Amino acid sequence: MQNNKLIVIGGDAAGMTAASKVRREQPECEIVVFERGIHTSYSACGMPYYIGGQIESEEQLIARKPEVFRQKQYIDVRTRHEVIEIDPISKRVKVKSLDEENVFWEPWDDLLIATGASPIVPEMENVDAGGIFTLSTLQSGIDVFNFVNEKKPTKAVVVGGGYIGIEMAEAFLDRSMEVTLIDMAPQLMATFDKDMADLIFDYMTEQQVKVLLEEKLVKFEKNPDGSVKTVITDKQSIPADIVILGMGVKPNSELAAQAGIKLGANNAICVNQRLETSAPNIWAAGDCAESFHLITQKQVHIALGTVANKHGLVAGINISGGSARFPGVLGTAITKFNGLEISCTGISEKEAIKLKLDYQVETITSSSPAGYYPGSEKITVKLLVDQATKRILGGQIIGYQGAAKRIDTIATAITAGFTVQQLVDLDLAYAPPFSTVWDPVQIAARKFI
Amino acid sequence: MQNNKLIVIGGDAAGMTAASKVRREQPECEIVVFERGIHTSYSACGMPYYIGGQIESEEQLIARKPEVFRQKQYIDVRTRHEVIEIDPISKRVKVKSLDEENVFWEPWDDLLIATGASPIVPEMENVDAGGIFTLSTLQSGIDVFNFVNEKKPTKAVVVGGGYIGIEMAEAFLDRSMEVTLIDMAPQLMATFDKDMADLIFDYMTEQQVKVLLEEKLVKFEKNPDGSVKTVITDKQSIPADIVILGMGVKPNSELAAQAGIKLGANNAICVNQRLETSAPNIWAAGDCAESFHLITQKQVHIALGTVANKHGLVAGINISGGSARFPGVLGTAITKFNGLEISCTGISEKEAIKLKLDYQVETITSSSPAGYYPGSEKITVKLLVDQATKRILGGQIIGYQGAAKRIDTIATAITAGFTVQQLVDLDLAYAPPFSTVWDPVQIAARKFI
């Protein structure tokens, strides 16, 4: 694209990163962003901490506002505008202005679909009751925050024990609620192995979250005023004033599918490493698009801020006529529940079994920082390697302050194709306030040797 | 060596790691360790925190006591025994029992020299005054601790602004002393560049340490009772009740040199990657020996616990008849002064200039964790790359809680031979309590692209 017209659908991480990159590379190009909400470029990942009261204002979650994009970067951001149709032949999109309620066509030379993902909401009785929320857009976070302040709920039920689930369990505890978390799986955090997830279960239970595993959501009951009254599972009825559904997300790919654009893993938009879709001059980036997984060598759908930002940058470079390739993902992720830090990268043992890989696994418990240093706590590291080559395939870390960011060392080593011996050989940083003399990830690696 | 007799000189990290490895591999082999002090396998790096009162007892710094080695591992550890001569021809060492004051010869089939390093003590007037200390052995740490408790010094002078210097400045502040730190260099922390070291200077000054740079120690003055009274520099006289000399270390290699064993960098014992010295069946490991530097591709002397442990392991494997190579060092190091975390790896800009490399450098300031998250603070990352290949040559990080251990990501990337683009491409862990969406090390890497 040479200074032509770019339309971006979706004004969050991927879309605005791409738009900004194109603006830098192509100062004369016309860039229009249609965003159906009212916010741009916000940190969805920060919402649980905002709801929990740790962040003063939702303003702090906004990296850049629409007017800043308009004024400083000459990016024509139109909020409350929903794209309702893509015409890949005539190269135009049909747009609905949500405020003026008119519909118009807008032409493009390049189109970037960055429509994100939406929380999965099960079809069941009374799922529309007041006080039942999902978290996705900043507005959805503000809605929860306002509900907590106004209605002062005391009993929270979180459905789903993934990232959103455990972060919201923490947020609701911080707002002095009784918190019940239910998940139909036999463990929390599906991306972890059960042995590691059990450590999270123990800690959350200790911290007064009632965690109910292998328990399936069936329906809800309403109060006469329409607000949620109880959560009905296959085992019991749980009183609730507020409910968060953290049951995973699905890519917002319907618009693309309707335009005949090919979908891939988990119905995410199929893209190549340049972030090109199956339709000429149509690109996709962020939570609506696939990513290449470095270990499984397959396309996957991973909806994470880090991936969305990288997607946006790669798409932006390519749209501007440059040449960039999305490097692939390891599914590296991190979170915490109160003091417990949790991270993983690469594949889990569970996935290795599913993929029928010949693997070896070791799990160690050490301390971080050094055992004698004040505040030293247990850290558990699980490493998975290919049996034949001893190359690292995945890692999981559970510990306390300063523990989990060590996953980056493992992620870097995996990307480099390192064996466990090469991980042991690394010259990593040691001082008593930070680590044992062999870093815990190396202690785990030494178990294979 | 096949189940013959191994003598180890020196019972700390390198020596005992090697002895333990040999015991595991060769259950029948006779292993004798001569240690001139009374302690084995202790964390010298923990001593500043013990002196500062953060660690309850010196016992906590001891990983394993002589009697445990004797009873559990059948390693004949003889403390208070000093080796005073190596006879490489007849394969024996002359040993002085410091308690019984007798001298005897002991034969070996393999000999490991793990004699460590000693603090540099300048020859100057009254350097023998009471209250002037260096830190090296655990006993030296206990001596300082006891002195502080008994004499209750109120004015401390720390000579040298390296790791020991800034850690002891913290310890003395923790013991409610007025602390003056002097260094003849124009900056603290010689392994860092001045622009980064200046951040440490600013912080230490803010925290009430009087830091005097470009000021040279000249001599000391004593009180009538023989205790130190003042530190005399080339600029002034500074009253002092206690003084720590943190002026660097020199390898304890005289014994090896006297036996005709070749010395190398900084007079450390010259070793190959198997940790073999120039004499047959004589090995050296730890602070007394050289290491291969992965960036400069030269032998260097780096006295660090991480290196000593790796040396010991490699020597132990090879002595047992196995085959291991020391992987080389990047000089990765980390410390903190109160809340300020400090780390580096690879080479600094200063060194790149000295080596006449064509390099590029970028320094960024970001936040860790995410800017809006409670407790977010500034983090500064400096990256150095080879101009032609864009491969990473070094990194320096200065920040607050959770900042500095990120140096491991850079160390891993350097070891993998990564370019800055490959660092940007990494799938690193992000969540608001831990990081910005692009990790600060990636923000620095992006500046080159």
Side-chain angles (χ1 to χ4, degrees):
Chain A
M1 181 179 105
Q2 287 298 322
N3 297 329
N4 286 330
K5 179 169 175 181
L6 168 66
I7 286 184
V8 176
I9 312 175
D12 200 8
M16 296 320 297
T17 299
S20 297
K21 182 67 185 168
V22 173
R23 170 55 68 237
R24 274 196 301 280
E25 299 295 323
Q26 307 269 350
E28 304 299 322
C29 144
E30 185 182 351
I31 306 174
V32 182
V33 178
F34 294 113
E35 164 56 47
R36 67 180 170 188
I38 57 168
H39 301 106
T40 52
S41 288
Y42 52 86
S43 170
C45 308
M47 294 192 304
Y49 308 101
Y50 160 65
I51 295 165
Q54 303 210 48
I55 296 162
E56 269 176 41
S57 144
E58 75 274 12
E59 294 280 313
Q60 292 179 264
L61 297 181
I62 300 172
R64 197 165 292 177
K65 293 188 171 191
E67 53 268 33
V68 180
F69 283 112
R70 284 183 213 119
Q71 289 156 18
K72 299 243 166 116
Q73 295 175 263
Y74 309 105
I75 293 171
D76 182 7
V77 178
R78 304 196 208 162
T79 50
R80 301 274 298 151
H81 280 72
E82 185 174 3
V83 172
I84 53 175
E85 191 183 332
I86 296 169
D87 178 349
I89 307 301
S90 309
K91 293 193 165 188
R92 55 183 192 159
V93 287
K94 192 190 240 180
V95 186
K96 186 174 169 188
S97 161
L98 300 178
D99 291 328
E100 292 145 38
E101 303 216 344
N102 63 331
V103 167
F104 57 93
W105 286 94
E106 187 88 16
W108 44 264
D109 297 298
D110 281 274
L111 176 70
L112 174 63
I113 306 172
T115 43
S118 292
I120 292 168
V121 178
E123 280 183 34
M124 59 178 54
E125 206 176 316
N126 293 324
V127 74
D128 64 335
I132 301 180
F133 295 95
T134 57
L135 271 190
S136 55
T137 60
L138 180 55
Q139 192 55 51
S140 70
I142 296 170
D143 291 345
V144 177
F145 182 78
N146 290 340
F147 183 91
V148 171
N149 287 352
E150 285 158 24
K151 308 281 179 172
K152 310 208 182 312
T154 61
K155 293 184 189 68
V157 173
V158 176
V159 184
Y163 291 90
I164 293 279
I166 79 163
E167 290 166 9
M168 285 309 301
E170 175 182 314
F172 287 150
L173 275 191
D174 284 346
R175 301 298 296 264
S176 308
M177 296 181 218
E178 265 177 51
V179 183
T180 303
L181 187 153
I182 69 173
D183 199 305
M184 62 182 198
Q187 66 166 77
L188 292 165
M189 301 296 284
T191 51
F192 287 69
D193 288 318
K194 185 169 185 310
D195 55 339
M196 298 296 279
D198 284 350
L199 302 176
I200 309 169
F201 174 89
D202 293 345
Y203 182 85
M204 289 183 75
T205 303
E206 242 177 67
Q207 302 268 313
Q208 311 304 326
V209 177
K210 194 167 171 188
V211 182
L212 307 172
L213 298 177
E214 298 183 87
E215 190 152 337
K216 205 175 160 186
L217 177 66
V218 174
K219 62 175 182 176
F220 300 94
E221 286 174 348
K222 280 182 182 173
N223 289 310
D225 68 353
S227 64
V228 66
K229 184 183 169 198
T230 42
V231 177
I232 311 292
T233 73
D234 55 354
K235 294 187 180 160
Q236 63 192 302
S237 156
I238 308 161
D241 308 318
I242 187 168
V243 174
I244 289 282
L245 302 176
M247 302 169 79
V249 297
K250 55 177 195 299
N252 294 330
S253 55
E254 304 80 2
L255 205 55
Q258 282 156 15
I261 293 168
K262 199 178 150 196
L263 304 188
N266 193 32
N267 279 329
I269 300 170
C270 181
V271 288
N272 61 18
Q273 282 194 282
R274 286 174 47 81
L275 279 319
E276 291 166 320
T277 69
S278 62
N281 296 95
I282 302 184
W283 313 74
D287 291 356
C288 65
E290 287 181 328
S291 295
F292 181 73
H293 195 287
L294 290 166
I295 302 282
T296 64
Q297 301 274 308
K298 285 180 186 146
Q299 294 291 110
V300 291
H301 177 237
I302 290 187
L304 283 174
T306 44
V307 175
N309 273 275
K310 282 203 188 78
H311 272 189
L313 185 63
V314 168
I317 292 169
N318 291 328
I319 291 169
S320 319
S323 178
R325 298 177 81 81
F326 180 70
V329 294
L330 288 172
T332 311
I334 191 168
T335 190
K336 73 176 194 73
F337 178 83
N338 288 352
L340 194 75
E341 299 186 358
I342 298 157
S343 61
C344 66
T345 190
I347 60 170
S348 63
E349 189 175 0
K350 225 164 37 179
E351 282 173 281
I353 293 168
K354 212 183 293 171
L355 293 165
K356 300 199 168 83
L357 298 179
D358 288 324
Y359 68 90
Q360 271 180 284
V361 71
E362 294 284 356
T363 305
I364 62 100
T365 296
S366 177
S367 60
S368 171
Y372 56 78
Y373 194 81
S376 176
E377 299 266 14
K378 279 208 302 191
I379 173 173
T380 304
V381 179
K382 181 170 185 172
L383 276 186
L384 190 82
V385 309
D386 178 77
Q387 190 159 33
T389 63
K390 298 285 189 289
R391 284 191 181 192
I392 307 157
L393 298 175
Q396 295 163 55
I397 299 178
I398 294 181
Y400 298 84
Q401 195 170 292
K405 236 322 198 165
R406 282 179 167 91
I407 204 74
D408 287 351
T409 305
I410 302 176
T412 308
I414 293 176
T415 307
F418 277 1
T419 62
V420 271
Q421 181 66 55
Q422 287 173 298
L423 180 52
V424 170
D425 285 351
L426 286 173
D427 191 4
L428 302 182
Y430 157 64
F434 300 94
S435 184
T436 41
V437 65
W438 290 95
D439 190 273
V441 305
Q442 293 179 308
I443 295 174
R446 287 185 66 187
K447 293 278 272 183
F448 293 93
I449 293 168
Chain B
M1 182 179 105
Q2 286 300 320
N3 296 329
N4 286 329
K5 180 169 174 180
L6 167 67
I7 286 183
V8 176
I9 313 175
D12 199 9
M16 297 319 298
T17 299
S20 298
K21 183 67 186 169
V22 172
R23 171 53 69 238
R24 273 196 300 280
E25 300 295 323
Q26 307 269 348
E28 304 299 322
C29 145
E30 185 182 351
I31 306 174
V32 182
V33 178
F34 293 113
E35 163 56 47
R36 67 180 170 187
I38 57 167
H39 301 106
T40 51
S41 288
Y42 52 86
S43 170
C45 307
M47 295 193 301
Y49 308 100
Y50 160 65
I51 295 165
Q54 302 210 49
I55 296 163
E56 268 176 42
S57 144
E58 75 274 12
E59 294 280 314
Q60 293 180 264
L61 297 180
I62 300 172
R64 198 166 293 179
K65 292 188 171 191
E67 53 268 33
V68 180
F69 283 112
R70 283 184 213 118
Q71 290 157 17
K72 299 242 166 118
Q73 295 177 265
Y74 309 105
I75 294 171
D76 182 8
V77 178
R78 304 195 207 162
T79 51
R80 300 276 298 152
H81 280 73
E82 185 172 4
V83 172
I84 54 175
E85 191 183 332
I86 296 169
D87 178 348
I89 306 301
S90 309
K91 292 193 166 188
R92 54 183 194 160
V93 288
K94 193 190 237 178
V95 186
K96 187 174 168 187
S97 161
L98 300 177
D99 291 328
E100 293 145 39
E101 300 220 343
N102 64 330
V103 167
F104 58 92
W105 286 95
E106 187 88 16
W108 45 264
D109 298 297
D110 281 274
L111 176 70
L112 173 64
I113 306 172
T115 43
S118 292
I120 292 168
V121 178
E123 282 183 33
M124 59 178 52
E125 207 175 315
N126 293 323
V127 74
D128 63 336
I132 301 180
F133 295 94
T134 56
L135 271 190
S136 55
T137 60
L138 180 54
Q139 192 54 52
S140 71
I142 295 170
D143 292 344
V144 176
F145 182 78
N146 290 340
F147 184 91
V148 171
N149 288 351
E150 284 158 25
K151 308 282 179 173
K152 309 208 183 311
T154 60
K155 292 183 189 67
V157 173
V158 176
V159 184
Y163 291 90
I164 293 278
I166 79 162
E167 290 166 9
M168 284 308 301
E170 175 182 315
F172 287 152
L173 276 191
D174 284 347
R175 301 298 297 263
S176 308
M177 297 181 217
E178 264 176 51
V179 183
T180 303
L181 187 154
I182 69 173
D183 198 306
M184 64 183 196
Q187 66 166 77
L188 292 164
M189 299 296 284
T191 50
F192 286 70
D193 289 317
K194 186 170 185 309
D195 53 339
M196 298 297 279
D198 285 350
L199 302 176
I200 308 170
F201 175 90
D202 293 346
Y203 182 84
M204 290 183 75
T205 303
E206 241 177 68
Q207 302 269 313
Q208 312 303 325
V209 178
K210 195 167 171 186
V211 182
L212 307 172
L213 298 176
E214 298 183 88
E215 190 152 337
K216 206 176 160 182
L217 177 66
V218 173
K219 62 176 182 178
F220 299 95
E221 286 174 348
K222 281 181 182 175
N223 289 309
D225 68 355
S227 64
V228 66
K229 185 184 169 197
T230 44
V231 177
I232 311 292
T233 73
D234 56 354
K235 295 187 180 158
Q236 63 193 303
S237 155
I238 308 162
D241 308 318
I242 187 168
V243 174
I244 289 282
L245 301 176
M247 302 168 80
V249 296
K250 55 176 195 302
N252 294 331
S253 55
E254 304 81 0
L255 205 57
Q258 282 157 16
I261 294 168
K262 199 178 150 196
L263 303 188
N266 192 32
N267 279 329
I269 300 171
C270 180
V271 288
N272 61 18
Q273 281 193 283
R274 285 174 49 80
L275 280 318
E276 291 166 320
T277 69
S278 62
N281 296 95
I282 302 184
W283 313 74
D287 290 357
C288 65
E290 287 180 329
S291 296
F292 181 73
H293 196 289
L294 290 166
I295 303 282
T296 65
Q297 301 274 307
K298 285 181 186 148
Q299 294 291 110
V300 292
H301 178 236
I302 290 186
L304 283 175
T306 44
V307 175
N309 273 276
K310 282 203 188 78
H311 272 190
L313 185 63
V314 168
I317 292 169
N318 291 328
I319 290 168
S320 319
S323 178
R325 299 177 80 82
F326 180 70
V329 294
L330 288 172
T332 311
I334 191 168
T335 189
K336 73 176 195 74
F337 178 83
N338 289 353
L340 194 74
E341 299 186 357
I342 298 158
S343 61
C344 66
T345 190
I347 61 170
S348 62
E349 188 173 2
K350 227 163 36 179
E351 283 172 282
I353 293 169
K354 213 183 290 170
L355 293 165
K356 299 200 167 83
L357 299 179
D358 289 324
Y359 68 90
Q360 271 181 284
V361 70
E362 293 285 354
T363 305
I364 62 100
T365 297
S366 177
S367 60
S368 171
Y372 55 79
Y373 194 81
S376 177
E377 299 265 14
K378 278 207 302 192
I379 174 172
T380 304
V381 179
K382 181 170 184 171
L383 275 186
L384 189 82
V385 308
D386 178 76
Q387 190 159 34
T389 64
K390 297 286 188 288
R391 283 190 181 193
I392 307 157
L393 299 175
Q396 295 162 55
I397 300 178
I398 294 180
Y400 299 83
Q401 195 170 293
K405 235 324 196 161
R406 283 181 166 90
I407 204 73
D408 287 350
T409 305
I410 302 177
T412 308
I414 293 176
T415 307
F418 277 1
T419 63
V420 272
Q421 181 66 54
Q422 287 173 298
L423 180 52
V424 170
D425 285 351
L426 287 172
D427 191 5
L428 302 182
Y430 157 66
F434 300 94
S435 184
T436 41
V437 65
W438 291 94
D439 190 274
V441 306
Q442 293 179 307
I443 295 174
R446 287 185 67 187
K447 293 279 273 183
F448 293 93
I449 293 168

